[in-house]
Each structure stands twice: as C-alpha cells, then as structure tokens.
Amino acid sequence: MKTFEYDILFFPVKKQVDYDEVRRALNERGAEGWEVITAEAGDYGYTTFLKRETGTMKAASE
C-alpha cells in the first residue's frame, strides 16, 4: 500500500493577489514531488493542501 505525507501552504490576501508568487511557490513544491489536492479561498487568504508519496510501502494488513 502506498503511503503519503501532507503539507499546507497559506497565501495571505492582498489587495491585488500576486498570482506569480503563488505560481512560483507551487512550482517549487511540484519540483519536490508535491501535488495540490485542493485549494480554498477564505477571508484571510488562500490555503492549498498538498500531498506526495513517501516511497515507503505498508502491508495492507497493517
């Protein structure tokens, strides 16, 4: 069974959202094997949830 690790990135709200900064940060994480699961817009900013495979395998019975 595959195993995963998770991370959360938060981007604060600005008057004008700097999408280049968000794109840069997400591309850096993507180069490290992270994948965005979902992203949410909130009152204080944007939150992205990421995952990547750990490379560790677990037996299905564990």
Side-chain angles (χ1 to χ4, degrees), residues 21-41:
E21 176 64 22
V22 173
R23 187 178 298 111
R24 183 197 59 74
L26 293 176
N27 281 330
E28 283 180 6
R29 292 296 182 141
E32 297 170 354
W34 292 97
E35 176 183 3
V36 174
I37 301 169
T38 189
E40 298 179 5

Side-chain angles (χ1 to χ4, degrees), residues 11-23 41 45-46:
F11 302 97
V13 169
K14 300 178 184 176
K15 283 190 173 189
Q16 181 177 1
V17 176
D18 185 358
Y19 289 110
D20 288 335
E21 176 64 22
V22 173
R23 187 178 298 111
Y46 298 91

Side-chain angles (χ1 to χ4, degrees), residues 35-58:
E35 176 183 3
V36 174
I37 301 169
T38 189
E40 298 179 5
D43 293 338
Y44 302 104
Y46 298 91
T47 304
T48 59
F49 298 87
L50 303 101
K51 76 173 186 178
R52 72 175 169 185
E53 194 171 334
T54 63
T56 305
M57 298 294 281
K58 279 190 167 184

